[in-house]
Amino acid sequence: MRIVIVGGGQAAASMAARLRAKGHEGPLTVIGNEPAAPYQRPPLSKAYLLGQMGLDRLTLRAPDWWRDQGIGLHLSENALSIDPAGRVLTTDRGTYAYDALALTTGAVPRRLPAAMGGDLPGTHVIRTLADIDALAPQMREGRRLVVIGGGYIGLEAAAVARKLGLEVTLIEAAPRILGRVAAAETADLIRALHHAHGVTILEGAAISRLTGEAQADGVALTDGRQIPADLVIMGIGVLPDTALAATAGLALDNGIATDSRGRTSDPAIWAAGDCASVPWQGGRLRLESVGGAIDMAECAADDMLGQGRDYAPKAWFWSDQFDAKLQIAGLNAGHDQVVTLAGHGDHTASVWYYRQGALIAVDALNDARAYMIGKRLIEGGISPDPGVISTVADLRVLLS
């Protein structure tokens, strides 16, 4: 069986490894549009941007591994279209016949429209190695950075910039930071952390446009304020990369729609990672996370080999900001109650989310014990009474 994987990230690498581990001995090809072999993306906006991690540590597999596994790794190659009837993938270098095709195309960062200055020189996004390599030389002490977007990517970029000595203003159009992904209690913790390190955060601040002609030199807000800038980072989210899937006429719904085993609307095509959505609680779920990419990719690989099983999302995330680590277990969608537990020390706490009395997620800032206990409780389907959880002296008793 000829298997072709399109994509060069975590999902692609995990799927290729799983296929070989599960006994697939046939032709296996991975096609990535970046010049680098599959690498970790989360450290890009953290340790790599800070210069604390090199490409050798980012890379998921050593070059010899791909050769030893008999996997054809094609880099800097762009997939253009899919002919589902003929089962042929066309790239800018040729064609590939397949028996099974996997799309792990990831996501693309959103930019402000060109009419708002989103394509001016001096504007940056954070997604790929090339993005960070272009940004890093501009992050110099004393320069003025404006970060647009108060999600995790924007906040991480702001933290790195402050550590490098830049003056940082973060602008969030919504009433508060982390509005889509976390409770107000978690946002309060993160806001306090950034304020303590000198980041200026403007919330409820709508952008009129980026200013400048030859170079971005500031941000104009709709209320008339002008925020000067030497460079601008847009951290306003990502969109699933579905362009290739569309050429095959695949069903799209918050990404490439798959069944519970990773198969798309075409029986010979699977999808996994940030580009794919799966059935979940009567709707569809698309996880932008390392854990999700690995689990979905392995599930799809098993299904290709006739060892299908339903994918069960086990959500976990993390975000490093300054010297603090925010660890997240579970999915907080639909929560109706929040319990906040103070930790020991500054900027240390955990936020516990409940829905109809069931524990569904935990945010833990600088509290690894709360994170691990919360994760085990969620995965075990155990829900401590929210009225009791704040009274226990040691969270470990919740596991007994």
Side-chain angles (χ1 to χ4, degrees):
M1 179 169 64
R2 299 163 298 181
I3 299 178
V4 176
I5 301 171
V6 180
Q10 181 72 66
S14 297
M15 186 178 293
R18 182 75 165 192
L19 287 166
R20 285 296 192 233
K22 284 283 189 169
H24 175 63
E25 298 179 351
L28 179 54
T29 304
V30 175
I31 298 171
N33 61 6
E34 294 187 61
Y39 58 86
Q40 307 172 66
R41 294 195 191 279
L44 287 178
S45 59
K46 310 177 188 78
Y48 185 78
L49 184 54
L50 274 170
Q52 297 173 346
M53 177 183 287
L55 179 58
D56 57 331
R57 290 176 56 201
L58 277 182
T59 304
L60 290 165
R61 298 283 184 174
D64 290 350
W65 182 86
W66 299 94
R67 184 188 66 245
D68 294 344
Q69 293 292 319
I71 300 170
L73 180 60
H74 299 246
L75 302 177
S76 299
E77 186 165 353
N78 296 293
L80 303 177
S81 64
I82 301 167
D83 172 11
R87 295 192 176 180
V88 173
L89 170 76
T90 298
T91 75
D92 56 2
R93 294 187 187 173
T95 59
Y96 297 83
Y98 65 83
D99 300 300
L101 175 67
L103 303 181
T104 62
T105 47
V108 292
R110 296 177 57 206
R111 299 185 72 102
L112 291 176
M116 293 178 65
D119 60 354
L120 280 171
T123 61
H124 301 265
V125 293
I126 292 177
R127 181 67 185 180
T128 67
L129 194 62
D131 292 335
I132 304 303
D133 287 344
L135 172 61
Q138 307 304 316
M139 301 277 275
R140 300 193 298 272
E141 185 174 0
R143 302 194 81 198
R144 298 165 300 179
L145 167 68
V146 172
V147 177
I148 300 174
Y152 289 123
I153 289 293
L155 289 162
E156 289 168 0
V160 168
R162 281 300 297 143
K163 293 182 79 168
L164 292 173
L166 284 79
E167 298 177 18
V168 180
T169 300
L170 183 143
I171 300 172
E172 172 54 58
R176 65 171 176 84
I177 60 172
L178 300 177
R180 291 190 309 108
V181 295
E185 290 81 353
T186 297
D188 291 345
L189 294 169
I190 298 299
R191 185 187 304 106
L193 174 68
H194 279 257
H195 283 168
H197 286 84
V199 176
T200 299
I201 296 179
L202 305 180
E203 295 167 298
I207 293 173
S208 173
R209 63 166 290 112
L210 306 186
T211 59
E213 295 182 7
Q215 173 87 14
D217 61 15
V219 178
L221 303 182
T222 56
D223 62 9
R225 284 180 289 177
Q226 300 279 336
I227 313 300
D230 297 304
L231 67 158
V232 175
I233 293 176
M234 290 172 277
I236 53 177
V238 298
L239 296 170
D241 190 346
T242 60
L244 183 62
T247 71
L250 300 181
L252 305 178
D253 187 352
N254 188 23
I256 305 169
T258 75
D259 64 15
S260 60
R261 300 186 174 191
R263 195 185 299 245
T264 72
S265 55
D266 184 303
I269 303 177
W270 286 256
D274 290 1
C275 67
S277 69
V278 297
W280 186 70
Q281 296 186 355
R284 300 201 68 83
L285 174 68
R286 188 172 62 83
L287 281 179
E288 297 170 8
S289 74
V290 171
I294 294 171
D295 292 345
M296 291 174 68
E298 292 184 347
C299 187
D302 290 352
D303 196 55
M304 287 181 197
L305 301 180
Q307 304 169 28
R309 56 188 172 84
D310 289 342
Y311 165 62
K314 294 181 180 179
W316 52 271
F317 314 87
W318 77 94
S319 178
D320 294 324
Q321 298 174 40
F322 301 105
D323 295 323
K325 180 178 287 291
L326 177 65
Q327 295 171 286
I328 303 161
L331 296 167
N332 65 27
H335 70 272
D336 52 31
Q337 185 176 1
V338 166
V339 177
T340 302
L341 304 183
H344 302 287
D346 294 336
H347 308 299
T348 303
S350 57
V351 178
W352 301 63
Y353 297 83
Y354 284 82
R355 184 175 60 229
Q356 297 179 354
L359 179 65
I360 57 172
V362 174
D363 298 340
L365 181 63
N366 286 335
D367 195 337
R369 175 175 292 183
Y371 166 74
M372 291 304 301
I373 291 172
K375 185 172 184 285
R376 288 177 60 185
L377 290 170
I378 294 165
E379 292 179 350
I382 303 169
S383 295
D385 187 292
V388 172
I389 193 170
S390 60
T391 66
V392 298
D394 187 340
L395 290 174
R396 287 177 295 185
V397 304
L398 300 175
L399 295 171
S400 57

